[in-house]
Amino acid sequence: MEKYIISALVQNNAGVLARVSSLFGRRGFNIDSLTVSPTVDTTVSRITIVVLGDEYTLDQVLKQMQKLEECITVSHIDEEEAFCRELALIKIAGDEAERESVREVCALYQAEVVDSSRESIIVRISGTPSKIDTFLSIIGSFHIVESSRTGITAVHQDKKDS
């Protein structure tokens, strides 16, 4: 199974997100992540969805989303041709020595300690999904109490001149 990034501009109306997500549910498509926010035009929102599947799934998602009345544009974004970012917050429990080890790992990955107490430390990291996956696999040896990821947000990059 592949991960595909879908970007859609939709009219910023009540219920649009519910219609988009129900479209996925009715067809049995699995949403890996979903982000929504208004654009500079407050009447338009951008929905970024990561869907798991094959080429057929991607084709069906694009076709079905284009049928939605509120959908202005929908496109597949290739991760190599886009600027993709995600944010994660991770709460890690441990004694002072373990918290210091977490700080050292954070320094290597440009993660930031946003809160620290006697029992735990909260870390914020942003970057590409693969950077966050790698960071999580490395700190997985510590006692992760809680974690939360925003999901991918992406914009097309301009082609660089050769």
Side-chain angles (χ1 to χ4, degrees), residues 19-31:
R19 284 187 281 289
V20 169
S21 62
S22 69
L23 177 151
F24 281 77
R26 285 192 314 268
R27 286 160 183 80
F29 300 143
N30 188 24
I31 296 175

Side-chain angles (χ1 to χ4, degrees), residues 4 62 95:
Y4 296 102
L62 293 173
D95 60 23

Side-chain angles (χ1 to χ4, degrees), residues 50 102 112 133:
V50 177
V102 169
E112 181 182 359
D133 290 340

Side-chain angles (χ1 to χ4, degrees), residues 1 3 6 17 30 46 64 70 82-83 89 95 119 139 144 151 162:
M1 286 216 177
K3 285 187 178 185
I6 311 293
L17 180 57
N30 188 24
R46 177 176 305 279
Q64 295 301 317
E70 296 95 343
F83 189 80
L89 294 171
D95 60 23
E119 297 84 30
I139 64 165
I144 296 175
S162 301

Side-chain angles (χ1 to χ4, degrees), residues 44-94:
V44 176
S45 287
R46 177 176 305 279
I47 298 176
T48 306
I49 302 170
V50 177
V51 63
L52 301 173
D54 54 19
E55 293 271 339
Y56 175 78
T57 302
L58 172 63
D59 185 56
Q60 288 302 301
V61 167
L62 293 173
K63 286 179 181 175
Q64 295 301 317
M65 285 189 68
Q66 287 167 345
K67 290 181 184 178
L68 293 174
E69 186 177 316
E70 296 95 343
C71 192
I72 299 165
T73 65
V74 62
S75 62
H76 168 240
I77 296 180
D78 187 330
E79 197 168 347
E80 279 76 47
E81 297 173 2
F83 189 80
C84 300
R85 289 295 180 268
E86 188 174 10
L87 173 94
L89 294 171
I90 306 103
K91 182 177 183 180
I92 305 159

